[in-house]
Amino acid sequence: MKNAYAKVKALVYGISVVAIISNCKRYIGNLTNNTNFTLDPTPAEAATKLGELESAEGRMRSGDRTAKPDRDQALEWMQRTMSTWVDLINGQAQGDTTKLETTGMEFVKPRTPRVAPKKVARCAAKNGAQSGLASLSWTGDKEADFFEVQSSNDNLVWNTIEVTRSNRYQIEGLVKKQEYFFRVCGKNKAGVGPYSPVANLVVA
């Protein structure tokens, strides 16, 4: 059973030292005499260092603060070793899920490919507080990283006037009593979404 996206990770970051010790103990047990992988450092070497970590952590929990340097050094070694093992295991397994399962490590969830934003659902234009100003607002898709704002004098030829992360934009320098048209689309690395319905405005 092979899966090109199957990979494992060792849970040794962002959790308590007690949980790291427990996880590493399980990993080392599963990888000792495991013929699927050749590891350096070896599981035997890791077991020795894990014993040092467990001992130092126990001393600290008993109130011996002098054990902290020993604990931190052993912890850093275990974290570095587990990161090295993850690279070796993933490389040697080549996506073979059956082999990866023998490690007891967690599987990495494959990333969901990004998609281009959906159509901007709403675009509204209204006159600003002063003559020649207009305020735009729109409802965009959450997948959009940016919004491209376009304007037109005839609803035929369009010009991009702004690219923004916001869902609001104020336009200055418009001609009084002239009609303008506006539309907005969402953009991200996956592509450009459809433009919104056109909003029109006669400048006050």
CSV table of all heavy atoms in Angstrom, one decimal, residues 49 67 74 90 117 138 181 192:
chain,number,residue,atom,x,y,z
A,49,LYS,N,20.0,8.4,25.8
A,49,LYS,CA,19.8,9.8,26.0
A,49,LYS,C,18.4,10.0,26.6
A,49,LYS,O,18.3,10.9,27.4
A,49,LYS,CB,20.0,10.5,24.7
A,49,LYS,CG,19.9,12.1,24.8
A,49,LYS,CD,21.0,12.6,25.7
A,49,LYS,CE,22.3,12.5,25.0
A,49,LYS,NZ,23.4,13.3,25.8
A,67,ALA,N,19.3,20.5,38.0
A,67,ALA,CA,19.1,19.5,37.0
A,67,ALA,C,18.7,20.1,35.6
A,67,ALA,O,18.7,19.4,34.6
A,67,ALA,CB,18.1,18.4,37.4
A,74,ALA,N,19.6,17.3,27.2
A,74,ALA,CA,19.1,16.0,26.8
A,74,ALA,C,17.8,16.2,25.9
A,74,ALA,O,17.6,15.5,24.9
A,74,ALA,CB,18.8,15.1,28.0
A,90,ASN,N,11.0,9.2,6.4
A,90,ASN,CA,10.2,9.6,5.2
A,90,ASN,C,11.0,9.3,3.9
A,90,ASN,O,10.4,8.9,2.9
A,90,ASN,CB,9.9,11.1,5.3
A,90,ASN,CG,8.8,11.4,6.3
A,90,ASN,OD1,8.0,10.5,6.6
A,90,ASN,ND2,8.8,12.5,6.9
A,117,PRO,N,-10.3,32.5,-5.5
A,117,PRO,CA,-11.5,33.0,-4.8
A,117,PRO,C,-12.8,32.9,-5.6
A,117,PRO,O,-12.8,32.9,-6.8
A,117,PRO,CB,-11.2,34.5,-4.5
A,117,PRO,CG,-9.7,34.5,-4.6
A,117,PRO,CD,-9.3,33.5,-5.7
A,138,TRP,N,-17.5,45.9,-0.3
A,138,TRP,CA,-17.9,44.7,-0.9
A,138,TRP,C,-17.8,43.5,0.0
A,138,TRP,O,-17.2,43.6,1.1
A,138,TRP,CB,-17.0,44.5,-2.2
A,138,TRP,CG,-15.5,44.5,-1.9
A,138,TRP,CD1,-14.7,43.4,-1.5
A,138,TRP,CD2,-14.7,45.6,-1.9
A,138,TRP,NE1,-13.4,43.8,-1.3
A,138,TRP,CE2,-13.4,45.2,-1.5
A,138,TRP,CE3,-14.9,47.0,-2.2
A,138,TRP,CZ2,-12.3,46.0,-1.5
A,138,TRP,CZ3,-13.8,47.8,-2.2
A,138,TRP,CH2,-12.5,47.4,-1.8
A,181,PHE,N,-18.7,53.6,-12.8
A,181,PHE,CA,-19.0,52.2,-12.6
A,181,PHE,C,-17.8,51.5,-11.9
A,181,PHE,O,-16.7,51.8,-12.2
A,181,PHE,CB,-19.3,51.5,-13.9
A,181,PHE,CG,-20.4,52.1,-14.7
A,181,PHE,CD1,-20.1,53.1,-15.6
A,181,PHE,CD2,-21.7,51.6,-14.6
A,181,PHE,CE1,-21.1,53.7,-16.3
A,181,PHE,CE2,-22.7,52.2,-15.3
A,181,PHE,CZ,-22.4,53.3,-16.2
A,192,VAL,N,-7.4,34.3,-10.0
A,192,VAL,CA,-8.2,35.5,-9.8
A,192,VAL,C,-9.7,35.0,-9.9
A,192,VAL,O,-10.1,34.2,-10.8
A,192,VAL,CB,-8.0,36.5,-11.0
A,192,VAL,CG1,-8.9,37.7,-10.8
A,192,VAL,CG2,-6.5,36.9,-10.9
